Amino acid sequence: MRNPPTNPVAPLADCPFITGPTASGKTALALEVAGRLNGEILSLDSMAVYRGLDIGTAKPSPEERRQVLHHLLDLVDPDQEFSLAEYLAEAARACQAVRARGRVPFFVGGTPLYLKALLRGIFQGPPADWEFRRRVVAEAEERGNGWLHERVRHVDPRAAQRLHPHDTRRLVRALEVFEKTGRPISDWQQQFDRARPAAECRVFVLDWQREELYRRIDARVEVMFGAGLIGEVRHLLTAGQNLGRTARQALGYREVFEHLSGQRSLAETIDLVKTRTRQFAKRQLTWFRSLSECRWIQMGDGRTTSDVAAEILECLGSRGTP
């Protein structure tokens, strides 16, 4: 398969988006905005697609789902893989169904790659070759730090420049695409550079002062453990629910699996989840800042959810409802 079509998925860029880092208050805000605009919420969370991963992914509660209809949750079992292309196809179907009912589809969540793909489309590329990936990862482990990134730099300097040396998954994918198509992945992904200004879009990023965001993250993690995250993970284990390659990366779950296997104490596990969640939020913010489509909504300083909802509704009203 040397010359696959790019097959970019038609973007759903004209929908409203409420996004931001973890623990930034997206759900409460989206419920108010969607409720006032006759909307339905489409999840923008790569881990909420997995059944049984509820507490750690902060899925909307049953009460919240009754308040506003939600979509793109609990699509697959955690031992299954679920690709970006599959998500986009499900999102397109859900969006069409919501509009057919005369309602407004709102994307709500914090997965930047999903957001970027919805705004700009994707290069679907050749299917995964797990044997090729296994060989490359094994060689990278044998050769040590830096080898994988250097190999990508040799075949695709542009991809190497934007990929972190420790981003093994995307580095391996870059090599896989080059191996299967004979062309660098950066050539195929040029549609990801077709940006629009924020004024033309409806993408709202919730922006907190860093200290306050980290305080909210720490509180969120405490709530998750208090709500039974360990019990949820234990249930997955006793029910024989093995996590696939993607679900295994869900923040909080990996750390609890390690705790249950005796690798660290509960207190150490909670602290580690807090640290890794703060690091994750930092990476989310870096992604959002790279997208010209985003407009930033200041949070905190005594502003209530209703205050912020009014600001977003005013912005949406200035362009008309979808």
Side-chain angles (χ1 to χ4, degrees):
M1 183 178 176
R2 305 299 290 181
N3 293 293
T6 56
N7 287 332
V9 175
L12 298 169
D14 288 332
C15 291
F17 295 81
I18 294 178
T19 188
T22 186
S24 57
K26 298 181 290 292
T27 298
L29 178 62
L31 288 170
E32 181 156 349
V33 174
R36 291 169 65 177
L37 278 186
N38 192 33
E40 298 181 17
I41 291 175
L42 283 66
S43 171
L44 188 64
D45 188 318
S46 63
M47 294 302 167
V49 302
Y50 292 105
R51 302 183 190 104
L53 274 64
D54 300 328
I55 297 172
T57 61
K59 280 180 189 168
S61 68
E63 181 181 349
E64 289 168 335
R65 296 193 205 192
R66 286 191 293 270
Q67 184 178 344
V68 174
L69 193 60
H70 286 66
H71 306 272
L72 306 180
L73 300 170
D74 302 324
L75 299 178
V76 294
D77 290 329
D79 60 345
Q80 296 179 267
E81 295 302 310
F82 192 74
S83 69
L84 174 59
E86 288 174 307
Y87 171 81
L88 290 177
E90 291 289 341
R93 282 192 285 270
C95 187
Q96 183 179 24
V98 171
R99 285 174 168 157
R101 289 191 288 273
R103 300 172 70 85
V104 179
F106 275 81
F107 283 94
V108 180
T111 299
L113 182 61
Y114 279 15
L115 173 63
K116 188 173 185 179
L118 287 164
L119 293 172
R120 304 185 186 181
I122 64 167
F123 159 59
Q124 293 185 13
D129 183 336
W130 295 110
E131 176 57 27
F132 173 85
R133 295 182 182 188
R134 186 197 63 76
R135 291 198 311 269
V136 172
V137 169
E139 188 168 2
E141 291 174 350
E142 180 181 336
R143 292 178 178 266
N145 292 337
W147 175 82
L148 184 58
H149 191 261
E150 178 60 24
R151 185 170 171 189
V152 172
R153 190 193 65 78
H154 180 70
V155 301
D156 191 347
R158 283 182 295 175
Q161 186 174 18
R162 65 179 173 78
L163 292 175
H164 192 281
H166 295 159
D167 193 347
T168 301
R169 184 170 66 86
R170 291 188 175 89
L171 290 168
V172 170
R173 179 57 174 168
L175 292 177
E176 181 180 47
V177 169
F178 184 79
E179 172 74 16
K180 300 297 180 182
T181 71
R183 285 176 55 188
I185 193 171
S186 59
D187 284 356
W188 294 112
Q189 290 179 331
Q190 288 183 38
Q191 71 270 18
F192 263 42
D193 296 325
R194 297 172 189 163
R196 291 195 294 166
E200 294 182 6
C201 304
R202 299 181 173 95
V203 184
F204 304 97
V205 181
L206 308 189
D207 188 24
W208 290 87
Q209 292 293 325
R210 191 62 59 92
E211 277 189 17
E212 178 62 14
L213 176 62
Y214 287 174
R215 186 196 67 76
R216 291 175 63 88
I217 286 171
D218 289 350
R220 162 75 67 82
V221 173
E222 293 282 356
V223 167
M224 283 165 40
F225 278 91
L229 178 59
I230 290 178
E232 180 172 277
V233 174
R234 219 181 246 121
H235 174 74
L236 290 171
L237 289 172
T238 57
Q241 289 278 16
N242 295 318
L243 270 63
R245 293 180 182 87
T246 303
R248 197 180 301 138
Q249 302 307 311
L251 198 54
Y253 291 88
R254 177 178 55 181
E255 292 82 4
V256 172
F257 276 124
E258 292 167 354
H259 162 66
L260 292 174
S261 69
Q263 293 188 36
R264 66 180 67 87
S265 70
L266 176 58
E268 291 171 330
T269 299
I270 293 173
D271 286 342
L272 181 59
V273 174
K274 289 178 180 178
T275 297
R276 287 181 174 170
T277 305
R278 292 194 295 266
Q279 293 168 343
F280 174 63
K282 187 176 180 180
R283 292 194 298 273
Q284 288 175 296
L285 289 165
T286 298
W287 263 89
F288 296 137
R289 290 193 184 97
S290 73
L291 297 175
S292 65
E293 293 90 344
C294 294
R295 69 176 84 190
W296 295 76
I297 303 296
Q298 187 60 49
M299 305 293 288
D301 295 327
R303 302 192 76 199
T304 66
T305 298
S306 294
D307 294 334
V308 179
E311 179 180 350
I312 291 177
L313 288 164
E314 182 178 357
C315 292
L316 291 173
S318 68
R319 295 199 58 228
T321 55

